[in-house]
Amino acid sequence: MNKDTLLRWYRTMMRIRIFEETVNEKFLAGEIPGFVHLYIGEEAVATAVCSLLEESDYITSTHRGHGHTIAKGADVKRMMAELYGKRTGYCKGKGGSMHIADFGVGMLGANGVVGGGINLAAGAALASQLLGNGRIAVSFFGDGASNRGTFHEGLNLASVWRLPVVFVCENNQWSSTTPYRESTSVEDIAVRAAAYSMPGAVADGNDIFDVYEKAAQMTQRAREGGGPSLLEAKTYRIKGHFVGDPEKYRKREEVMEQLDRNDPIKRFVERVLEEGLLTSEDLTRIDHETLEEVSSAVAFAKESPFPEPTEAYEDLFVEAGAQ
Amino acid sequence: MNKDTLLRWYRTMMRIRIFEETVNEKFLAGEIPGFVHLYIGEEAVATAVCSLLEESDYITSTHRGHGHTIAKGADVKRMMAELYGKRTGYCKGKGGSMHIADFGVGMLGANGVVGGGINLAAGAALASQLLGNGRIAVSFFGDGASNRGTFHEGLNLASVWRLPVVFVCENNQWSSTTPYRESTSVEDIAVRAAAYSMPGAVADGNDIFDVYEKAAQMTQRAREGGGPSLLEAKTYRIKGHFVGDPEKYRKREEVMEQLDRNDPIKRFVERVLEEGLLTSEDLTRIDHETLEEVSSAVAFAKESPFPEPTEAYEDLFVEAGAQ
Amino acid sequence: MRNITFAEATLEAMREEMARDARVFVMGEDIARQGGIFGQFKGLPDAFGLERVRDTPISETAIVGAGIGAALGGTVPVIDMHFADFIGVAMDEILNQMAKIRYMFGGQANLPLVLRAPDGVTRSGAAQHSQSLEALFMHIPGLKVVAPSNPKDAKGLLKAAIRDPNPVIYFEHKDLFRQRGEVPDGEYVTPIGEASVVQEGGRLTVVSYSRMMTQVQAVCKQLGDEIAGQVELIDLRSIVPMDTETILASVRKTHRLLIVHEAVKRGGVGAEIAAVVAERTIEYLDAPIVRIGAKPFPVPFSPALEPAVIPQEREIVEAIRGLLGARI
Amino acid sequence: MRNITFAEATLEAMREEMARDARVFVMGEDIARQGGIFGQFKGLPDAFGLERVRDTPISETAIVGAGIGAALGGTVPVIDMHFADFIGVAMDEILNQMAKIRYMFGGQANLPLVLRAPDGVTRSGAAQHSQSLEALFMHIPGLKVVAPSNPKDAKGLLKAAIRDPNPVIYFEHKDLFRQRGEVPDGEYVTPIGEASVVQEGGRLTVVSYSRMMTQVQAVCKQLGDEIAGQVELIDLRSIVPMDTETILASVRKTHRLLIVHEAVKRGGVGAEIAAVVAERTIEYLDAPIVRIGAKPFPVPFSPALEPAVIPQEREIVEAIRGLLGARI
Ligand SMILES: Cc1ncc(C[n+]2csc(CCOP(=O)(O)OP(=O)(O)O)c2C)c(N)n1
Ligand SMILES: Cc1ncc(C[n+]2csc(CCOP(=O)(O)OP(=O)(O)O)c2C)c(N)n1
Ligand SMILES: [Mg+2]
Ligand SMILES: [Mg+2]
């Protein structure tokens, strides 16, 4: 891994982490409306996978989409503005957290429907195949989503058509208040790949190096016309399901242990420092820059105007000819 | 296998075969309206599996449901009357071929929606589990249906709840005009059982002994509280997808070869005669009785009155209290 | 009489019906461990066990399909859709199985089943978490559809739905769960198919239901006794079967009709009501039939935009004033 | 002008649009090998290859979901639903993705996509194969919905739908595919959103679309010139956007309105039309607004029962006669 990549990884992970911590705080302060789901503790997955993608490649995301959006290269200013419901947001205030998107960098949208993005990614991959433009698609989704029919139909379709798509299941052990073992009939969701004759692998989702290595094989396969694959990244949802979740369904110790032992950023830092790949100055500089970046994103969001009520009547249809 | 069972098997298979041949003829003669899908060539599957069931057990079926209905013990008279759209039919003329059903023998309905019956069976099994009545459920469905989301969700649910249900995939090589290999991403659909941590097996669907043996383990498992299983019975759709199908999408030789080599009734007869398990007199007697039975079913259907138009306004809701 | 929340009222209904009938069980996502997103299932597992209060995988298709099968197998399932917004995931099961099974099999089977669907807008839920979809199900023969507006009816209608041997979709508004109201002590059931004349009046009939009913009532308070006294207020409660006789009788008395719902106006329940009135009693009308419903856009996220799409009290005020002044 | 079938007309539209725009492709069950259940895709694979004419697994959820993704990825998918009856399998994709993507993402993406859905009754298809479901989609903001009644419009509207940069649901009636009609030579497009005044008349407006339009025309023939001459016949063609101005203008001239569709009357498109008229031009009406639609039952199988649920010509005749004689 070259130093540039490591620096980029660290910056992306920290950008996600600080963005999410900030959103948490601002939500609790009543500044951000709606429902918000945080990606804290899962940063390594989106970061590693998206570092394998070109800007023109596609991703689809979930209700927990800030991390994916940042990792794909979106601007935190316009993201924060969107979360605040402002006109300068990516969706002009129409989407909010659950519909954060930056089509300009191939981020085809967070999705309020669990499992709703899986087939969208297969479809984007189909378009790439038809157009021969070499783009690939990645779909991120949760362990809970792997029990939806969309998963099955999408993976089967992608397999029979050899679509250039990588399915990334972020198994964070929980789907809302339900532990994945109670709702999911396999120990490793990656096992399900065999039901579609595609490669499946389990990665340690809190180890960015492991995710990267396994995802790299899959993105390469997709680029080479080898078809789809399924990567299960085992990670952990450090925060509640949504901001404000009283989390009565799990023990505090379970979370603390994960935080202690398994925080992907902590693990990354320990390794790069131990192996001398990066210096603590490198890291501290990024920390500062990122804190700065996110706080100016908040300032931008706050200063931005709300949309006018009449803007609610825009953006439904595009006029013919404008395509 | 005792002789009684063999005789019952033969009678059921022949009842299906003759029923279907007759329906084919009567449909082409313009006597039967609607869409009709025949079970010819697949008789061994329903016959073997249903011979493992009690009358109180449940099955759910498909658009190709006559065979399942007969095997579960329905009366061919009332079936034929239904196909003719008569008031004496099981559904009083409201259902027809695609909605043939006999709830009295636990046959919870043919289904015009591919894959539509899978979760109904899981649910019936859930009711049995909740009520502790010892009943099990079997869902029959096609290879095409195994690519629907209902398959995935139903098998996962049945597995996590250990429901007493057996999923029987009738892989007849075709889903309408599409060969299963083009639409299904696995060689053996039974492989998909692993995605739900349940036993899966492939049976030679044209060998009633093989289907019986493998299904027996699965029904026993269900009865003993061991949870669900997936049986794939490889068989072949001898006739067109529906009566009237011009079948331009496959070679006549393919069908002829199957008929020649793989007709389940022919294979059964050869074996029982060869091994001296039944005599040709046994078989001929059943042939005659069955021909007689089906032709009187046709007579019954023809003689029966059509429903009055106003009967169209009955049976939507049941009055409270009538439950 | 007790003053309890809408959520508590539904919880009482569940408790009473589950105690009354051992065949009743409930399943859905996050209802056992969490007690439901709106607390509407709290404590049920302690009372009835995890067999009868089941957390499910995120598999709405299977949950509804299995609910149908379970009803056929002799139980009485209550299924929680989490948010009504996800009901489309199980649409085929509702459209082609639930609504049709009894009829297409010639009455061979009954289908006692309740689909509970929390609907409507809440807290900037945005496009995929703010929908009112009852009109879709009104159009599908074979389903009963109810939508209570207050704790009393919430309890009574839920009990009626559970006892009904036919499939019932029970829409409960997300933003009503915390609303308080008087609920009678002791056993009662609110019959499905009967509208409630909440207030009598002689010059304008207002038909509403669910959350918008509470808005209409609030508006009437604002308008003062003189104006509000002229308004006859009908809470529809049941969408299917619809109590058209009560509506028609009222319109024949008042000669004016306003319909208010949160769902999209175009193709909404209000269209059907207006059409029935225009078909059966148009000669009594002294003014155009006015409908208030959401504008034809998905619900936007921003608090600055949401009110532009969802009906506001101001619109109701204007419509009432306008209609009371209007003459053809 | 050529006299060709409805199926052939749609095939011409596909050929012309696929030739014009290499981004257009079509997918669905049994469309390549079989050419579609109604022959409506015959020969397309030879002309455009199996990459652009794709047989899919039986996975309607994935097909529609992938169609949406493919549109986002720069292609123009035409998706065949096989039968409109199965559209519920993909309802969440339609309701929560297709209809909302452009809006909820603030106009970042366009979604050029056509969902072709053969609907209506055919040959004792029974409950699950006989449905007209356009009303469900009229109620969902973000979708355009069309339903041609003849080969000419079938071609013109399909071309318009494919060129439209927004999602369009194209309902084509199963029993119309074999119907013949005049189709202009050369290039033309039928604009979405414009109703067609098929026949002018002064005393009664009849609005219909899809197969029922042909029934209404047949009835007018039967009724003879004197009666039929009083009827203004409007073929709606587009359900969304609806050409309400044409309807209103006609009603203001004729003072009477009859709406006829095959879909269930309750909550159908007719309800919306009636409501719009009752809201915007009730003062012109000289008679009740009459709607004819299917009775609120699933469609039964038996030829002895089907006509009791589905609108019959006799009902149309009676309604026309009744309305021409009526006065408030
Ligand atoms: C189809 C659907 N069903 C239910 C929900 C409600 N819901 C939102 S998030 C969630 C849990 C998702 O779990 P998982 O897929 O593991 O993702 P995670 O939240 O763990 O990232 C549920 C049930 C939904 N949004 N969509
Ligand atoms: C959800 C759905 N999609 C499509 C159809 C149309 N259709 C009816 S039967 C059939 C093929 C079914 O294939 P398979 O499941 O293998 O069963 P088989 O006909 O081979 O018995 C199709 C596509 C349908 N009835 N339901
Ligand atoms: Mg999870
Ligand atoms: Mg098959």
Side-chain angles (χ1 to χ4, degrees):
Chain A
M1 223 67 314
N2 69 35
K3 187 166 170 174
D4 259 14
T5 303
L6 296 176
L7 287 170
R8 239 184 318 122
W9 279 358
Y10 184 68
R11 185 182 296 278
T12 301
M13 289 200 289
M14 280 310 289
R15 199 180 265 153
I16 298 172
R17 176 68 55 97
I18 293 169
F19 186 88
E20 295 295 59
E21 294 286 10
T22 307
V23 168
N24 190 43
E25 184 193 316
K26 300 300 177 191
F27 184 92
L28 292 173
E31 293 181 17
I32 293 177
F35 302 94
V36 168
H37 307 82
L38 302 177
Y39 197 65
I40 290 176
E42 311 184 28
E43 294 90 346
V45 187
T47 302
V49 173
C50 290
S51 74
L52 289 155
L53 302 181
E54 305 293 324
E55 189 173 284
S56 56
D57 291 328
Y58 300 110
I59 67 165
T60 67
S61 170
T62 68
H63 54 288
R64 200 176 298 290
H66 307 166
H68 310 130
T69 314
I70 290 173
K72 193 65 175 64
D75 173 9
V76 290
K77 270 201 175 66
R78 294 189 60 197
M79 285 180 65
M80 195 64 87
E82 185 58 37
L83 268 58
Y84 272 76
K86 298 302 182 72
R87 180 194 280 153
T88 52
Y90 273 112
C91 311
K92 306 179 192 164
K94 293 198 170 77
S97 165
M98 255 192 294
H99 308 298
I100 196 77
D102 179 2
F103 283 67
V105 298
M107 195 291 176
L108 306 183
N111 211 313
V113 177
V114 169
I118 297 176
N119 287 301
L120 270 49
L126 170 60
S128 303
Q129 192 186 65
L130 285 167
L131 300 173
N133 60 18
R135 301 180 184 183
I136 69 169
V138 170
S139 178
F140 294 98
F141 54 91
D143 47 294
S146 81
N147 298 319
R148 277 215 50 212
T150 48
F151 169 90
H152 181 64
E153 295 195 2
L155 270 69
N156 181 62
L157 192 76
S159 176
V160 294
W161 288 353
R162 287 179 91 83
L163 299 178
V165 52
V166 180
F167 299 101
V168 179
C169 180
E170 305 178 310
N171 184 348
N172 63 6
Q173 316 297 316
W174 290 90
S175 69
S176 190
T177 68
T178 306
Y180 95 95
R181 273 158 220 258
E182 275 182 27
S183 63
T184 310
S185 54
V186 274
E187 180 67 31
D188 293 329
I189 293 165
V191 163
R192 292 184 169 166
Y196 316 102
S197 310
M198 67 173 71
V202 176
D204 178 346
N206 298 321
D207 176 358
I208 192 168
F209 295 91
D210 194 45
V211 176
Y212 183 84
E213 195 179 303
K214 283 163 182 155
Q217 291 171 26
M218 296 180 172
T219 52
Q220 195 187 333
R221 180 180 162 91
R223 289 195 200 287
E224 289 170 353
S229 334
L230 172 63
L231 178 66
E232 177 186 8
K234 305 245 192 210
T235 176
Y236 190 79
R237 197 194 72 212
I238 297 277
K239 293 282 181 181
H241 173 52
F242 55 92
V243 182
D245 182 354
E247 284 183 75
K248 294 208 178 116
Y249 48 85
R250 65 178 182 184
K251 297 222 172 64
R252 200 63 215 139
E253 297 86 72
E254 176 185 319
V255 181
M256 293 316 294
E257 195 208 317
Q258 286 288 338
L259 245 182
D260 201 50
R261 192 169 56 73
N262 235 341
D263 178 336
I265 299 186
K266 205 156 133 189
R267 282 177 60 184
F268 173 85
V269 170
E270 278 165 13
R271 173 152 172 193
V272 292
L273 293 182
E274 212 164 84
E275 298 184 11
L277 304 171
L278 297 179
T279 66
S280 47
E281 290 71 50
D282 290 332
L283 303 179
T284 313
R285 183 174 40 79
I286 290 177
D287 291 348
H288 286 305
E289 287 170 7
T290 309
L291 272 165
E292 179 55 35
E293 189 186 3
V294 173
S295 68
S296 54
V298 170
F300 174 78
K302 287 188 173 190
E303 284 156 18
S304 291
F306 277 108
E308 290 300 317
T310 52
E311 291 173 39
Y313 311 133
E314 296 169 2
D315 293 326
L316 187 63
F317 291 126
V318 61
E319 289 301 308
Q323 195 173 350
Chain B
M1 225 58 325
N2 67 37
K3 187 167 170 176
D4 259 15
T5 303
L6 297 177
L7 287 170
R8 237 181 322 120
W9 279 358
Y10 184 67
R11 186 181 295 277
T12 301
M13 289 200 290
M14 281 308 291
R15 199 179 265 150
I16 297 172
R17 177 67 55 98
I18 293 170
F19 186 89
E20 295 294 60
E21 293 286 10
T22 307
V23 168
N24 191 43
E25 184 193 316
K26 298 301 177 189
F27 184 93
L28 293 172
E31 293 181 16
I32 293 177
F35 302 95
V36 168
H37 307 82
L38 301 177
Y39 197 63
I40 290 175
E42 311 184 29
E43 293 90 345
V45 187
T47 301
V49 172
C50 290
S51 73
L52 289 156
L53 302 180
E54 306 292 324
E55 189 173 284
S56 55
D57 290 328
Y58 300 109
I59 66 166
T60 66
S61 168
T62 68
H63 55 288
R64 199 177 299 290
H66 307 165
H68 309 129
T69 313
I70 290 174
K72 194 63 175 65
D75 173 10
V76 290
K77 270 202 174 65
R78 295 190 59 197
M79 287 180 64
M80 194 65 86
E82 186 58 36
L83 269 59
Y84 272 77
K86 298 301 182 73
R87 180 195 278 153
T88 52
Y90 273 112
C91 311
K92 306 179 190 164
K94 293 197 168 80
S97 165
M98 253 191 296
H99 309 298
I100 196 76
D102 179 3
F103 282 67
V105 298
M107 195 293 175
L108 305 181
N111 211 313
V113 178
V114 169
I118 295 175
N119 287 301
L120 269 49
L126 171 59
S128 303
Q129 192 186 65
L130 285 167
L131 299 173
N133 62 18
R135 300 180 184 183
I136 69 170
V138 170
S139 179
F140 294 99
F141 54 90
D143 48 292
S146 81
N147 297 320
R148 278 218 46 215
T150 49
F151 169 90
H152 181 64
E153 295 197 2
L155 269 69
N156 182 61
L157 191 75
S159 175
V160 294
W161 288 353
R162 288 178 89 82
L163 299 179
V165 53
V166 180
F167 299 102
V168 178
C169 180
E170 305 178 311
N171 183 347
N172 63 6
Q173 316 297 318
W174 289 90
S175 68
S176 191
T177 67
T178 308
Y180 96 96
R181 272 155 220 260
E182 273 182 29
S183 62
T184 310
S185 54
V186 274
E187 178 66 32
D188 294 327
I189 293 166
V191 162
R192 292 183 169 168
Y196 316 102
S197 308
M198 67 172 72
V202 176
D204 177 345
N206 298 320
D207 175 359
I208 192 167
F209 296 92
D210 193 45
V211 177
Y212 183 83
E213 195 181 302
K214 282 162 183 158
Q217 291 171 25
M218 296 181 172
T219 53
Q220 193 186 334
R221 181 181 162 92
R223 288 197 199 286
E224 289 170 353
S229 333
L230 172 62
L231 179 65
E232 178 186 7
K234 304 245 193 210
T235 175
Y236 190 78
R237 198 194 71 213
I238 297 277
K239 293 282 181 180
H241 174 51
F242 56 90
V243 181
D245 181 355
E247 285 182 74
K248 295 208 180 116
Y249 48 84
R250 65 178 181 185
K251 297 222 172 64
R252 200 65 214 138
E253 297 86 72
E254 176 185 318
V255 181
M256 294 316 293
E257 193 206 321
Q258 286 286 338
L259 246 183
D260 201 48
R261 191 169 57 71
N262 235 340
D263 178 334
I265 300 186
K266 204 156 137 191
R267 283 178 58 185
F268 173 84
V269 169
E270 278 165 13
R271 173 152 171 193
V272 293
L273 293 182
E274 212 163 85
E275 299 184 12
L277 304 171
L278 296 179
T279 66
S280 47
E281 290 72 49
D282 291 331
L283 303 179
T284 313
R285 183 173 41 79
I286 290 177
D287 290 350
H288 285 306
E289 287 169 9
T290 308
L291 274 166
E292 178 56 33
E293 190 186 0
V294 173
S295 68
S296 54
V298 171
F300 174 78
K302 288 189 172 188
E303 284 156 18
S304 292
F306 276 109
E308 290 299 316
T310 53
E311 291 173 39
Y313 311 133
E314 295 169 4
D315 294 324
L316 186 64
F317 290 126
V318 60
E319 288 301 307
Q323 196 172 351
Chain C
M1 284 283 187
R2 288 138 316 120
N3 194 279
I4 60 175
T5 67
F6 192 104
E8 286 160 356
T10 64
L11 200 44
E12 284 192 1
M14 291 299 297
R15 281 183 183 280
E16 291 175 16
E17 294 306 303
M18 291 183 79
R20 183 186 59 79
D21 185 345
R23 299 168 312 158
V24 179
F25 73 100
V26 51
M27 58 179 169
E29 293 150 23
D30 307 303
I31 67 172
R33 253 204 200 68
Q34 187 187 38
I37 312 183
F38 307 96
Q40 74 274 43
F41 299 103
K42 256 206 181 109
L44 288 185
D46 293 339
F48 301 103
L50 288 170
E51 284 290 301
R52 290 178 66 198
V53 185
R54 308 176 81 96
D55 275 340
T56 68
I58 307 177
S59 304
E60 288 81 2
T61 313
I63 300 168
V64 174
I68 295 166
L72 296 177
T75 57
V76 180
V78 177
I79 302 165
D80 177 51
M81 288 303 304
H82 213 76
F83 281 77
D85 307 82
F86 311 139
I87 204 164
V89 176
M91 191 62 165
D92 180 64
E93 280 60 33
I94 298 170
L95 173 70
N96 281 325
Q97 316 292 342
M98 194 188 294
K100 296 183 170 56
I101 276 183
R102 186 166 207 285
Y103 186 84
M104 76 184 168
F105 295 132
Q108 288 187 67
N110 296 341
L111 208 66
L113 178 156
V114 183
L115 208 62
R116 293 184 59 176
D119 69 340
V121 290
T122 183
R123 293 204 283 147
S124 279
Q128 294 173 335
H129 285 74
S130 304
Q131 300 171 82
S132 296
L133 299 170
E134 63 279 3
L136 307 188
F137 303 96
M138 169 181 66
H139 188 56
I140 302 173
L143 305 169
K144 297 188 179 184
V145 182
V146 300
S149 73
N150 58 66
K152 178 169 170 237
D153 291 343
K155 178 172 176 183
L157 281 171
L158 183 51
K159 286 171 67 88
I162 293 171
R163 293 185 190 189
D164 200 296
N166 302 292
V168 180
I169 306 188
Y170 179 94
F171 285 106
E172 42 200 339
H173 197 288
K174 293 160 200 161
D175 249 22
L176 286 180
F177 278 110
R178 275 175 302 183
Q179 196 217 41
R180 294 189 158 271
E182 301 282 298
V183 169
D185 300 319
E187 173 72 23
Y188 71 96
V189 163
T190 306
I192 295 175
E194 290 182 15
S196 148
V197 180
V198 173
Q199 170 185 308
E200 297 196 8
R203 291 200 56 236
L204 168 64
T205 300
V206 181
V207 179
S208 189
Y209 55 90
S210 190
R211 185 177 75 91
M212 275 298 143
M213 189 67 211
T214 67
Q215 304 297 99
V216 171
Q217 286 173 293
V219 161
C220 282
K221 284 229 177 70
Q222 284 169 37
L223 285 172
D225 281 356
E226 198 187 331
I227 297 182
Q230 306 180 31
V231 173
E232 178 139 308
L233 241 182
I234 298 178
D235 186 344
L236 201 54
R237 301 198 295 198
S238 294
I239 315 288
V240 181
M242 193 185 283
D243 186 355
T244 45
E245 295 313 320
T246 295
I247 298 171
L248 291 170
S250 176
V251 171
R252 285 177 192 138
K253 184 174 75 173
T254 64
H255 309 289
R256 289 173 170 80
L257 175 60
L258 169 66
I259 307 150
V260 187
H261 55 58
E262 194 184 295
V264 172
K265 175 176 165 178
R266 186 179 69 212
V269 171
E272 177 62 22
I273 297 173
V276 167
V277 170
E279 197 160 18
R280 294 186 46 197
T281 196
I282 197 169
E283 63 276 21
Y284 284 87
L285 286 171
D286 282 348
I289 299 174
V290 177
R291 291 179 293 159
I292 295 179
K295 311 273 184 311
F297 296 88
V299 178
F301 163 74
S302 178
L305 297 172
E306 197 186 77
V309 171
I310 294 299
Q312 301 298 304
E313 292 190 3
R314 181 183 33 74
E315 289 170 73
I316 304 173
V317 169
E318 280 164 23
I320 291 179
R321 284 191 194 281
L323 274 167
L324 284 173
R327 271 235 143 253
I328 295 194
Chain D
M1 284 283 187
R2 289 137 316 121
N3 195 278
I4 61 175
T5 67
F6 192 105
E8 286 161 356
T10 64
L11 200 45
E12 283 192 2
M14 291 299 298
R15 282 184 183 279
E16 291 174 17
E17 293 306 305
M18 291 183 79
R20 182 188 59 80
D21 184 346
R23 299 168 313 157
V24 178
F25 74 100
V26 52
M27 59 178 166
E29 294 151 23
D30 307 304
I31 66 172
R33 253 204 200 68
Q34 188 188 36
I37 312 184
F38 306 97
Q40 74 272 45
F41 299 104
K42 257 206 180 107
L44 288 184
D46 293 339
F48 302 103
L50 288 171
E51 284 290 301
R52 288 178 69 197
V53 185
R54 308 175 80 96
D55 276 338
T56 68
I58 307 177
S59 304
E60 287 82 3
T61 313
I63 300 167
V64 175
I68 296 166
L72 296 176
T75 57
V76 180
V78 177
I79 302 165
D80 176 52
M81 289 302 303
H82 213 75
F83 281 78
D85 306 83
F86 312 138
I87 204 165
V89 176
M91 191 62 166
D92 180 65
E93 279 61 32
I94 298 170
L95 173 70
N96 281 326
Q97 316 293 342
M98 194 188 293
K100 296 182 171 55
I101 276 181
R102 184 164 211 285
Y103 186 84
M104 74 183 170
F105 295 132
Q108 288 187 66
N110 297 343
L111 208 66
L113 176 156
V114 183
L115 208 61
R116 292 184 60 175
D119 70 341
V121 289
T122 181
R123 292 205 283 146
S124 278
Q128 295 173 334
H129 285 74
S130 304
Q131 299 171 84
S132 296
L133 299 169
E134 63 279 3
L136 306 187
F137 303 96
M138 167 181 66
H139 187 56
I140 303 173
L143 304 170
K144 297 190 180 184
V145 182
V146 301
S149 72
N150 59 66
K152 177 169 172 238
D153 290 344
K155 178 172 177 183
L157 281 171
L158 184 52
K159 286 171 66 91
I162 293 171
R163 293 183 191 190
D164 200 297
N166 301 292
V168 180
I169 306 187
Y170 179 94
F171 286 106
E172 41 199 340
H173 198 289
K174 294 161 201 162
D175 250 23
L176 287 180
F177 278 109
R178 276 174 300 183
Q179 198 216 40
R180 296 191 156 271
E182 301 283 298
V183 169
D185 300 318
E187 173 74 22
Y188 71 97
V189 163
T190 306
I192 294 175
E194 291 182 14
S196 148
V197 180
V198 174
Q199 170 184 310
E200 297 197 8
R203 291 200 57 237
L204 167 65
T205 300
V206 180
V207 178
S208 189
Y209 56 90
S210 190
R211 187 179 71 93
M212 275 298 142
M213 190 67 210
T214 66
Q215 303 297 98
V216 171
Q217 287 173 292
V219 160
C220 282
K221 285 231 175 72
Q222 282 170 39
L223 284 172
D225 281 356
E226 196 186 332
I227 298 183
Q230 307 180 29
V231 174
E232 178 137 310
L233 242 182
I234 299 179
D235 186 344
L236 202 54
R237 301 198 295 198
S238 292
I239 315 286
V240 181
M242 193 185 283
D243 186 354
T244 45
E245 295 312 320
T246 294
I247 298 172
L248 291 170
S250 176
V251 171
R252 285 177 192 135
K253 183 174 77 172
T254 65
H255 308 289
R256 290 173 170 78
L257 175 60
L258 169 67
I259 307 148
V260 187
H261 54 58
E262 193 184 295
V264 172
K265 174 176 165 178
R266 187 180 70 212
V269 170
E272 177 62 22
I273 298 173
V276 167
V277 170
E279 200 160 17
R280 294 185 47 196
T281 196
I282 196 168
E283 63 277 20
Y284 284 88
L285 285 172
D286 282 347
I289 300 175
V290 177
R291 292 179 291 159
I292 294 177
K295 311 274 183 310
F297 296 88
V299 178
F301 163 73
S302 179
L305 296 172
E306 198 185 77
V309 170
I310 295 298
Q312 301 299 304
E313 291 190 3
R314 181 182 33 74
E315 291 170 72
I316 304 172
V317 169
E318 280 164 22
I320 292 179
R321 284 192 193 281
L323 275 166
L324 285 173
R327 272 234 142 251
I328 295 194

